[in-house]
Amino acid sequence: MAGKLYIVPTPVGNLEDMTFRAIRILKEADLILAEDTRTSGVLLKHFEITTPMRSHHKFNEHQTSAELVNLIEAGNNIALISDAGTPGISDPGFMLSRECRRAGIDVECLPGATAFVPALVSSGLPCDRFVFEGFLPVKKGRQTRLKELASDSRTTIIYESPKRLARTLRQLTEFFGAERQGAVCREISKLHETIHKGTLGELSEHFEMNQAKGEIVIIIEGYDAKQHQPENEL
């Protein structure tokens, strides 16, 4: 009888965000796939999880997915975790999930931590409709994507590294407009969690002068066509 692939979210910061179910699945699995075994080793030790672990990351997932499918078909239950958050959300996970589905293997994803949801809800910007972009292209296609997002009426969510934050905010100000509302959320659920709110122009100016650290989520207000209509059309 074939086993199952479990996709298991892990805390993005506070270890108290780990669920009882996630701990049980990781203890009962035959093998844990971790993005970085050193990082995940700290988490597993904290929760007294002794299940064998091996690396599964963006540099080897193309080569190992077929082998892992074979292991599950042979009856092994495998749990996939990333360094933080839900695998597949700007982290490895999609490819193995897809290959398991193609092979007729059950894939079960546990609900759990991810950085962008608490950032969105706490930003004070509309969260009924949104588009999650993850990390924008660094070079090719970046400006094209920014132009497309600038006219999207939904709230936009972007992940960014602290080293590129100031540059990205300058570009967002250029493409979206300096008066568009936004929020820069840093270190979600961690000890030094902070949320800076204001216009994109204000945020850009602030982070030009203040170097950010840690994991960054940028939330941007959607385009409001009514605000851009000529007066005689209102």
Side-chain angles (χ1 to χ4, degrees):
M1 183 177 178
K4 182 185 288 190
L5 173 67
Y6 293 93
I7 299 175
V8 183
T10 55
V12 296
N14 195 321
L15 291 180
E16 292 180 359
D17 294 334
M18 192 74 167
T19 68
F20 292 117
R21 184 179 170 204
I23 295 170
R24 177 180 62 80
I25 292 296
L26 292 178
K27 286 184 175 181
E28 294 177 353
D30 297 298
L31 176 67
I32 295 173
L33 303 176
E35 187 177 4
D36 186 325
T37 55
R38 294 166 298 180
T39 299
S40 296
V42 176
L43 176 77
L44 300 189
K45 183 178 180 180
H46 179 83
F47 290 106
E48 300 180 342
I49 298 168
T50 59
T51 306
M53 181 171 47
R54 62 184 279 189
S55 296
H56 182 79
H57 45 70
K58 64 180 181 179
F59 301 109
N60 71 0
E61 61 182 344
H62 290 271
Q63 292 76 33
T64 61
S65 290
E67 175 194 353
L68 294 169
V69 166
N70 290 337
L71 281 175
I72 298 172
E73 288 181 325
N76 294 284
N77 290 314
I78 293 181
L80 173 67
I81 60 177
S82 61
D83 288 349
T86 301
I89 303 298
S90 294
D91 279 327
F94 162 72
M95 182 170 295
L96 182 57
S97 176
R98 180 188 64 186
E99 294 307 307
C100 285
R101 287 294 187 188
R102 286 178 173 175
I105 292 170
D106 286 340
V107 177
E108 186 172 328
C109 182
L110 280 62
T114 188
F116 78 81
V117 172
L120 171 63
V121 175
S122 61
S123 72
L125 293 171
C127 51
D128 54 334
R129 298 176 66 246
F130 59 88
V131 54
F132 172 67
E133 284 294 306
F135 289 94
L136 291 171
V138 177
K139 294 181 180 179
K140 186 178 181 180
R142 185 181 179 90
Q143 292 194 5
T144 300
R145 193 72 194 112
L146 285 169
K147 289 178 182 177
E148 293 171 348
L149 291 171
S151 60
D152 197 315
S153 62
R154 297 169 294 179
T155 301
T156 297
I157 305 168
I158 296 171
Y159 283 169
E160 190 52 280
S161 74
K163 292 181 179 180
R164 293 196 296 264
L165 177 61
R167 169 178 174 256
T168 294
L169 287 171
R170 287 196 301 270
Q171 291 181 319
L172 290 172
T173 300
E174 176 187 350
F175 285 93
F176 288 66
E179 297 306 311
R180 189 83 67 96
Q181 292 292 315
V184 174
C185 309
R186 186 180 70 87
E187 296 288 83
I188 292 295
S189 90
K190 297 179 182 177
L191 180 62
H192 300 292
E193 175 180 334
T194 57
I195 299 180
H196 293 270
K197 302 176 184 179
T199 66
L200 290 179
E202 292 169 341
L203 292 171
S204 179
E205 182 178 349
H206 175 81
F207 286 102
E208 287 284 356
M209 304 298 294
N210 299 274
Q211 175 65 48
K213 295 181 180 179
E215 303 292 330
I216 305 291
V217 185
I218 305 173
I219 313 293
I220 311 153
E221 178 187 26
Y223 176 79
D224 186 347
K226 293 180 181 179
Q227 293 182 3
H228 296 81
Q229 283 181 336
E231 291 186 5
N232 59 359
E233 294 184 11
L234 293 177

